[in-house]
């Protein structure tokens, strides 16, 4: 029950951020969107920063789900890696909303160290997962694949930001990402 | 005289954005920082959006200067390209302020189409310059170097954002960028 409410608030917060940005996100709008009282938001998340940090984790849940799924993979690391990276740029309302939340929090983290810490944690988890798949693909130890994973995830973020600001459509951004993957990944398999 | 004032306002606006973010940037703070009246800001830039767009162009001026400088280069395209890209990530107060402004405007452009247009123009000019240097390096036509330039500039933006949010220090971000350049650039010269 409490978990349901929490989930509902986080979903509402994602929708509000995707629509108005973090600048325009007001706790009272999130409450209205979720159909609950402001007291409940403060009960679950303490304050606005707590709500933002939890929303970052919430939009990151998808990646965690994909992570667990792909552990089963093994031989098909390249396909899974390609899928994982391309999943960030898609003409899908929820994917776009999630990317906007991520993009907003990245920008604001520059000015808010507690948010930057949460962001660093989420990014590191994603990057480690990418390194594991690179390792599966190349047969190199995971530790040695971190540099490649840094390049791949940074490229995804750079292209995603071009896509979100309509400098590239999703097809062009995805095509560029595929070319980037080919260039950055070591050639062996 | 009018140009002096304009320049002073833009400098003040960059400082305010680097300190408080675009969210926290208030025209009255810019006036205070520049030591001028609010009337002058509205005279020169019409409104807050006009001021933001002009500030984006202002922080882009450095790149233009470097662009003109490098036309003289010719054979040394690789070195100039390396310098141009690495120049975006430096432990220098002005470079960091400029990058924060750029990072902020990128995030906000998602919600503000007129700002997105200005951003697209600035980014396209930078990317074309990179394509010209890639062309000088590889001997391929500029038009065919645009895809490589898109990857390089997107990677710079992704790494810069990690640097600004303190996920990477400047040395790590620059080292990653150098590895990325080697991977993405065609091998011939």
């Amino acid at each position: 029950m409490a978990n349901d409410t929490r989930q509902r608030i986080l979903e509402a917060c994602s929708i509000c951020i995707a629509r108005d940005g973090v600048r325009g996100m007001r706790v009272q709008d999130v409450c209205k969107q979720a159909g609950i009282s402001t007291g409940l938001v403060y009960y679950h998340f303490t304050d606005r920063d707590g709500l933002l940090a939890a929303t970052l984790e919430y939009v990151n849940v998808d990646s965690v789900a994909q992570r667990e799924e792909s552990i089963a993979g093994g031989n098909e690391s390249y396909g899974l890696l390609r899928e994982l990276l391309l999943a960030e740029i898609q003409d899908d309302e929820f994917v776009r909303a999630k990317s906007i939340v991520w993009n907003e929090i990245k920008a604001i983290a520059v000015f808010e160290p507690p948010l930057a810490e949460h962001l660093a944690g989420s990014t590191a988890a994603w990057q480690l997962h990418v390194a594991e798949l690179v390792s599966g693909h190349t047969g190199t130890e995971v530790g040695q694949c971190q540099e490649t994973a840094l390049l791949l995830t940074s490229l995804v973020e750079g292209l995603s930001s071009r896509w979100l600001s309509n400098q590239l459509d999703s097809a062009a951004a995805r095509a560029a990402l595929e070319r980037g993957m080919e260039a950055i990944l070591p050639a062996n398999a």
Side-chain angles (χ1 to χ4, degrees), chain A residues 68-139:
Chain A
E68 282 167 6
E69 213 173 276
S70 61
I71 285 171
N75 290 341
E76 295 167 11
S77 300
Y78 186 85
L80 290 167
L81 179 59
R82 185 175 167 280
E83 217 173 280
L84 182 77
L85 297 179
L86 286 173
E88 301 292 324
I89 301 170
Q90 282 183 66
D91 282 330
D92 169 286
E93 204 181 355
F94 181 67
V95 171
R96 196 172 169 97
K98 184 186 127 175
S99 296
I100 291 177
V101 173
W102 189 267
N103 200 50
E104 284 283 286
I105 289 179
K106 269 193 312 177
I108 286 153
V110 173
F111 306 98
E112 298 186 12
L115 204 57
E117 238 172 82
H118 283 280
L119 175 68
S122 296
T123 306
W126 176 42
Q127 196 170 298
L128 175 61
H129 182 45
V130 169
E132 285 166 352
L133 291 175
V134 172
S135 168
H137 170 57
T138 61

